[in-house]
Amino acid sequence: AQSVTQLGSHVSVSEGALVLLRCNYSSSVPPYLFWYVQYPNQGLQLLLKYTSAATLVKGINGFEAEFKKSETSFHLTKPSAHMSDAAEYFCAVSGIGRGADGLTFGKGTHLIIQP
Amino acid sequence: EAQVTQNPRYLITVTGKKLTVTCSQNMNHEYMSWYRQDPGLGLRQIYYSMNVEVTDKGDVPEGYKVSRKEKRNFPLILESPSPNQTSLYFCASSEPGTGSEKLFFGSGTQLSVL
């Protein structure tokens, strides 16, 4: 079985500050890991993905995430928050089936950017 | 433009009145899926389809039906909707590969069952 835990349903940071969204996973097989972003009234878009190549993954809009097997974590970071980063963020793990059919999503973290 | 199109965008109905939410993709993807999104619960998979005439249950299939008669279309059917099916629904598609495929999502259907 696989699962994803996102710590903090809401995270608030000031514009220009570091963004850190936490994700821990459990998987019975080496995982593939994803971060998706959902802007208001839109569907989800892929931010970045880890597929067993480099452990530090760079995504769109200046986001990156680091896979740490020893900590079973895949935290999302961005050095300097922008107002346009306000959105819902979902971490997801693909284990069983390794495909989209085996994708499990976390409950989401709402990122709030304070001016 | 590559996209997944869902209709309608908003739907209000009453308990027991059958409804269908349509989903169509123009990317020739083999894989399609339906999710529901509820506050505090994230996205949960309802059904998925690996190819035409091949469908399988996700995590929360009760009360839903799907069909995949054509590659591009994957409608979600609620035969007898109930208030607990009030939710935001998303259709998604991808090209199956080694597990690193990208899911393309529709814009969502907000369903309210009274």
Side-chain angles (χ1 to χ4, degrees):
Chain A
Q2 58 195 35
S3 65
V4 175
T5 302
Q6 291 184 240
L7 297 176
S9 59
H10 292 77
V11 170
S12 179
V13 302
S14 299
E15 190 175 17
L18 170 72
V19 174
L20 171 61
L21 303 183
R22 300 177 186 274
C23 172
N24 288 89
Y25 71 90
S26 68
S27 177
S28 57
V29 298
Y32 289 176
L33 293 156
F34 307 79
W35 275 100
Y36 281 84
V37 59
Q38 182 182 30
Y39 296 106
N41 299 313
Q42 294 185 28
L44 280 72
Q45 303 172 33
L46 182 66
L47 263 183
L48 51 80
K49 61 186 179 186
Y50 165 77
T51 58
S52 73
T55 56
L56 181 62
V57 181
K58 294 188 184 298
I60 61 172
N61 301 336
F63 283 94
E64 62 182 36
E66 186 173 8
F67 172 68
K68 292 187 176 181
K69 184 177 179 180
S70 61
E71 300 177 8
T72 61
S73 68
F74 191 56
H75 302 331
L76 181 70
T77 61
K78 182 174 180 178
S80 178
H82 192 272
M83 294 300 291
S84 61
D85 295 327
E88 190 85 16
Y89 291 80
F90 293 93
C91 182
V93 60
S94 176
I96 299 172
R98 290 296 190 94
D101 58 310
L103 205 62
T104 299
F105 285 88
K107 295 182 179 181
T109 297
H110 186 61
L111 178 62
I112 302 163
I113 310 297
Q114 305 278 6
Chain B
E1 179 188 356
Q3 59 184 359
V4 177
T5 304
Q6 291 178 233
N7 280 298
R9 183 76 175 86
Y10 299 94
L11 180 58
I12 301 174
T13 189
V14 296
T15 299
K17 185 176 182 181
K18 180 179 178 180
L19 65 91
T20 299
V21 183
T22 63
C23 174
S24 179
Q25 50 93 5
N26 63 1
M27 295 167 280
N28 203 36
H29 285 165
E30 290 186 350
Y31 176 87
M32 297 186 74
S33 179
W34 276 102
Y35 295 87
R36 60 178 290 175
Q37 182 181 7
D38 301 289
L41 296 178
L43 274 80
R44 295 178 292 168
Q45 191 178 49
I46 302 170
Y47 269 95
Y48 64 93
S49 169
M50 298 298 287
N51 211 328
V52 175
E53 302 292 2
V54 180
T55 64
D56 209 345
K57 296 178 180 179
D59 298 319
V60 288
E62 294 79 18
Y64 304 94
K65 285 176 56 177
V66 293
S67 69
R68 188 87 182 277
K69 298 188 187 308
E70 305 167 279
K71 197 172 188 179
R72 64 182 291 124
N73 295 324
F74 191 45
L76 179 68
I77 303 157
L78 283 72
E79 295 271 4
S80 183
S82 62
N84 64 11
Q85 292 178 298
T86 292
S87 185
L88 179 59
Y89 291 87
F90 287 101
C91 180
S93 73
S94 74
E95 191 59 42
T98 60
S100 61
E101 64 270 17
K102 172 181 173 180
L103 272 176
F104 290 82
F105 282 84
S107 297
T109 296
Q110 180 64 60
L111 171 64
S112 295
V113 183
L114 305 177

